[in-house]
């Protein structure tokens, strides 16, 4: 049930983050609201349906899945890291375990997703020269094409969103967003868990 705001007497947004009472940094409320809005925009069922409808078939004729793209991006990033001169010898191959670590999923799930990407013709698997029990993964030509198109599409989307921004604004946003994302990765638990909200509300 919507509550009324004391200022205007209008119903408040029922699903917007509710700021804590008392003094605080108003910027945090704005950030929380913006993040909440982004999550709703990008998680809309109709948006996901449109994305799936626009998805082309992979080399095997089956529609490409989001998980395929996740694996392609992970393998590409791990391959680039493995090619750096300072990389230790034992890290110079891309394994299923490395993909699991990169995507922060369990090894069995990573193995399944990698298998799907291999079946889709996007990822190749060859014996590891270091340990024959492991597979060394790489992108196929089709996988490299998907990566190029994905990167180009993402840049075009962001460019359209930020069409009115100056170069300095984009650079500053990139710096701050990267800093924010790094901090979030170090503390991944977000404080809007439903159970915790109701527990704290009941004790308030």
């Amino acid at each position: 049930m919507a509550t009324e705001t004391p200022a205007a007497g209008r119903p408040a947004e029922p699903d917007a983050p509710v700021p804590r009472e008392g003094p605080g940094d108003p910027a945090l409320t704005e950030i929380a609201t913006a993040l909440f809005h982004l999550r709703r925009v990008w998680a809309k069922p109709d948006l996901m349906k449109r994305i799936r409808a626009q998805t082309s078939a992979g080399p095997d004729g089956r529609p490409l899945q989001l998980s395929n793209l996740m694996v392609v991006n992970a393998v590409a990033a791990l391959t680039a890291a493995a090619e750096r001169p300072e990389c230790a010898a034992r890290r110079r191959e891309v394994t299923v375990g490395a993909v699991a670590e990169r995507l922060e999923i369990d090894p069995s799930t990573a193995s399944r997703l990698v298998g799907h990407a291999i079946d889709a013709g996007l990822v190749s698997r060859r014996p590891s020269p270091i340990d024959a029990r492991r597979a060394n993964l790489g992108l196929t030509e089709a996988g490299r094409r998907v990566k190029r198109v994905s990167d180009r599409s993402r840049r075009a989307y962001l460019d359209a969103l930020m069409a009115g921004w100056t170069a300095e604004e984009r650079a500053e946003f990139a710096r701050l967003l990267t800093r924010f994302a790094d901090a979030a990765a170090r503390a991944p638990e977000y404080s809007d868990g439903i159970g915790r909200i109701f527990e704290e509300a009941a004790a308030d």
Side-chain angles (χ1 to χ4, degrees):
M1 180 176 178
T3 58
E4 289 191 347
T5 59
R10 292 176 300 176
E13 285 291 332
D15 53 1
V18 179
R20 287 184 176 274
E21 296 180 359
D25 185 351
L28 296 181
T29 300
E30 293 184 26
I31 291 169
T33 302
L35 290 175
F36 190 85
H37 183 57
L38 279 176
R39 185 168 59 184
R40 289 188 60 193
V41 168
W42 285 333
K44 284 183 177 179
D46 60 327
L47 175 62
M48 299 309 295
K49 287 179 182 178
R50 289 202 304 272
I51 291 174
R52 282 193 289 269
Q54 295 169 5
T55 301
S56 302
D60 63 346
R62 291 185 294 183
L64 294 174
Q65 304 294 323
L66 178 59
S67 62
N68 295 151
L69 187 56
M70 291 167 57
V71 171
V72 164
N73 283 328
V75 171
L78 291 166
T79 300
E83 291 173 351
R84 293 172 188 157
E86 68 273 16
C87 184
R90 64 182 180 83
R91 302 287 289 180
R92 288 186 180 174
E93 58 181 4
V94 180
T95 64
V96 172
V99 171
E101 184 177 341
R102 176 83 185 183
L103 297 179
E104 298 182 346
I105 56 179
D106 63 79
S108 61
T109 300
S111 180
R112 186 175 71 254
L113 296 185
V114 167
H116 291 168
I118 291 172
D119 292 341
L122 304 174
V123 172
S124 64
R125 176 169 50 197
R126 53 190 181 277
S128 165
I130 300 174
D131 186 342
R133 296 170 297 178
R134 294 199 304 252
N136 189 22
L137 306 175
L139 294 183
T140 63
E141 180 54 38
R144 286 189 286 272
R145 285 199 303 271
V146 166
K147 180 68 169 62
R148 287 195 299 270
V149 173
S150 170
D151 290 346
R152 187 166 64 235
S153 175
R154 186 180 298 112
R155 286 194 299 268
Y157 174 67
L158 294 175
D159 189 46
L161 288 181
M162 307 174 78
W165 295 40
T166 65
E168 292 75 14
E169 287 172 333
R170 291 186 181 200
E172 181 66 0
F173 181 72
R175 184 185 69 81
L176 293 175
L177 185 60
T178 300
R179 181 178 172 184
F180 182 86
D182 289 344
R186 292 191 295 270
E189 183 180 359
Y190 192 48
S191 62
D192 69 345
I194 296 299
R196 178 180 301 176
I197 287 174
F198 283 109
E199 287 175 7
E200 292 188 8
D204 199 356

